[in-house]
Amino acid sequence: MGLDNVAVRWPRTGRFYDPVAPAEFVDFGELAESPEVAAPTAALAGYIAKTGSVRATAYTELVDLLLGLDGVLYATEAAAEDEDPVIDPDGCAWIAGGLERFVDGHEREGELVTFDTVGAVLRAALTGGRLPEQQLRWLDGRLDALRDDSGAAPQWSFPRSELAVLAGFYRRCADRGFAVYADS
């Protein structure tokens, strides 16, 4: 069983959240049908267009690393305080913004996003910031925690365009006032 992030109406009006009609994401289907788009990007865009949701399991570690928190796509903080695992529209904007900045920052690393390129992009971003030594130590700790017992890195391999589509899903939710329900 995996994690789905489902676009829902915000705020909820009854006992349950109403899913957003996939028609709100129909333009993602145009990208899915474009022949020059990488297959994983097309698959994600097509799934969003058909369902108004994202199968988020594959992205959880990466998003948590990029945004510096744990359980972002699981909406764990929301679940603790509201009892519903929901990312509100402001949270969707925050996720989208973080992903958009990463996708832009990754351009110089090329089109394939891997564990190593993620580390390079994040190191470059932190080096120019405040307290770079402290932040780089934090980053190294986060990266080391993602390695398995033998020290092997996660086998991430995403086209940069796939992460742009993922960001686009959360941006659409934010811009139209939708929330995202974390269904696991």
Side-chain angles (χ1 to χ4, degrees), residues 95-106:
I95 293 168
L99 287 168
E100 291 161 350
R101 285 186 299 281
F102 173 76
V103 167
D104 290 345
H106 195 281

Side-chain angles (χ1 to χ4, degrees), residues 7-33:
V8 295
R9 299 279 172 203
W10 181 259
R12 100 175 153 196
T13 55
R15 188 171 164 204
F16 300 104
Y17 290 93
D18 294 324
V20 171
E24 296 283 353
F25 299 92
V26 72
D27 57 313
F28 282 72
E30 295 168 13
L31 179 63
E33 295 173 8

Side-chain angles (χ1 to χ4, degrees), residues 19-99:
V20 171
E24 296 283 353
F25 299 92
V26 72
D27 57 313
F28 282 72
E30 295 168 13
L31 179 63
E33 295 173 8
S34 179
E36 66 273 356
V37 172
T41 305
L44 176 60
Y47 188 78
I48 292 169
K50 289 177 187 164
T51 66
S53 64
V54 168
R55 289 199 167 126
T57 305
Y59 309 107
T60 58
E61 287 182 336
L62 175 61
V63 170
D64 285 354
L65 177 62
L66 295 178
L67 299 178
L69 297 174
D70 292 326
V72 172
L73 300 181
Y74 284 93
T76 53
E77 284 192 24
E81 62 186 52
D82 299 333
E83 298 179 13
D84 287 329
V86 175
I87 304 165
D88 66 24
D90 290 339
C92 289
W94 176 69
I95 293 168
L99 287 168

Side-chain angles (χ1 to χ4, degrees), residues 40 54 58 81 93 105 123 132 135-136 139 141-142:
V54 168
E81 62 186 52
R123 276 189 182 80
Q135 291 180 335
L136 289 170
L139 175 61
R142 291 287 293 215

